[in-house]
Amino acid sequence: MTSVLPKLHARRLGTIDYLAAWDEQRRLHEEVANGLTPDTVLLLEHPYVYTAGKRTEPWDRPTDGSPVIDVDRGGKITWHGPGQLVGYPILRLPAPIDVVAYVRRTEQMLIDTCAELGLATDRIEGRSGVWVPADDRGPARKVAAIGIRVSRGVTQHGFSINADCDLAAYDHIVACGIRDATTTSLTAELGRQVTVDDVLPIVERRLPTLLG
């Protein structure tokens, strides 16, 4: 299914193997970089998989021997799997290239999505992603992660937001290399089931935020 947004295409891929999606990212990246294809965002779920960015330390990796796919994005290790919406924006950034500004726009899009669903979230200085602030339930908790790569002025990789995934998957890694915080989901925070199907149209509608 393909929907057209102003200056942007969003493609829903359903559930797709990580390596297959990575191949599609690279194909699209080449086309966008060469001006052959409009900016495109892939929206999908992955089967259970760990992926490690370039800054992943050996002690961040799974303690249970689970395999890890090493990738060329920034950041450290994370998990993808059922119940988590993943977005891969393949976008040409405006000149002059400002990667930090793009990350902030991505965070804002996710913060606005959470707010629409009834969850107040924020940024934490020095840490990318979107967080539920510390409260009487515990310390700050990460509900959405960001890890990107920019080559030839075009973005690759992107974001994930936990809807109703099994959070036990994070117990086997040091997610994003952060030891003093935990990971959460929309379902866990809101006390009601929030599925990927609930989150998907909201994210899709808010994607133009990424363009600035």
Side-chain angles (χ1 to χ4, degrees):
M1 177 177 180
T2 301
S3 60
V4 180
L5 300 171
K7 302 182 180 179
L8 190 63
H9 288 276
R11 288 175 51 197
R12 299 184 183 186
L13 299 187
T15 299
I16 181 172
D17 178 78
Y18 184 86
L19 291 176
W22 194 7
D23 284 343
E24 179 63 4
Q25 282 191 71
R26 285 181 285 205
R27 186 190 70 78
L28 278 172
H29 184 276
E30 184 72 11
E31 291 192 357
V32 172
N34 289 330
L36 302 175
T37 298
D39 292 342
T40 301
V41 183
L42 306 177
L43 296 170
L44 52 96
E45 288 181 80
H46 286 307
Y48 193 110
V49 64
Y50 292 109
T51 70
K54 293 181 290 186
R55 296 193 300 112
T56 301
E57 302 288 353
W59 48 84
D60 296 333
R61 292 174 179 266
T63 57
D64 64 349
S66 294
V68 176
I69 298 174
D70 290 284
V71 296
D72 58 355
R73 62 167 168 78
K76 297 195 174 187
I77 195 165
T78 194
W79 170 85
H80 298 304
Q84 179 193 76
L85 176 64
V86 177
Y88 295 131
I90 315 298
L91 312 176
R92 179 173 294 282
L93 295 180
I97 301 297
D98 189 336
V99 176
V100 173
Y102 170 67
V103 171
R104 296 294 169 264
R105 291 195 297 272
T106 305
E107 289 170 343
Q108 190 60 55
M109 184 269 294
L110 295 166
I111 288 169
D112 292 344
T113 295
C114 290
E116 186 166 338
L117 289 160
L119 180 64
T121 57
D122 207 345
R123 300 175 176 88
I124 291 183
E125 187 174 354
R127 293 178 171 178
S128 68
V130 172
W131 298 77
V132 179
D135 55 20
D136 56 5
R137 297 178 59 188
R141 304 173 292 282
K142 195 172 196 176
V143 70
I146 298 170
I148 68 168
R149 177 175 185 261
V150 179
S151 174
R152 299 173 62 190
V154 177
T155 65
Q156 200 173 350
H157 301 287
F159 62 86
S160 61
I161 181 167
N162 293 338
D164 60 347
C165 54
D166 181 3
L167 295 173
Y170 292 99
D171 293 342
H172 305 297
I173 60 172
V174 181
C176 303
I178 299 172
R179 295 181 177 275
D180 60 344
T182 59
T183 306
T184 190
S185 68
L186 292 161
T187 293
E189 295 298 326
L190 293 171
R192 68 177 194 272
Q193 186 174 28
V194 180
T195 68
V196 167
D197 286 343
D198 296 325
V199 180
L200 179 55
I202 300 174
V203 167
E204 196 172 48
R205 179 161 34 84
R206 294 185 175 277
L207 288 175
T209 301
L210 302 178
L211 300 176

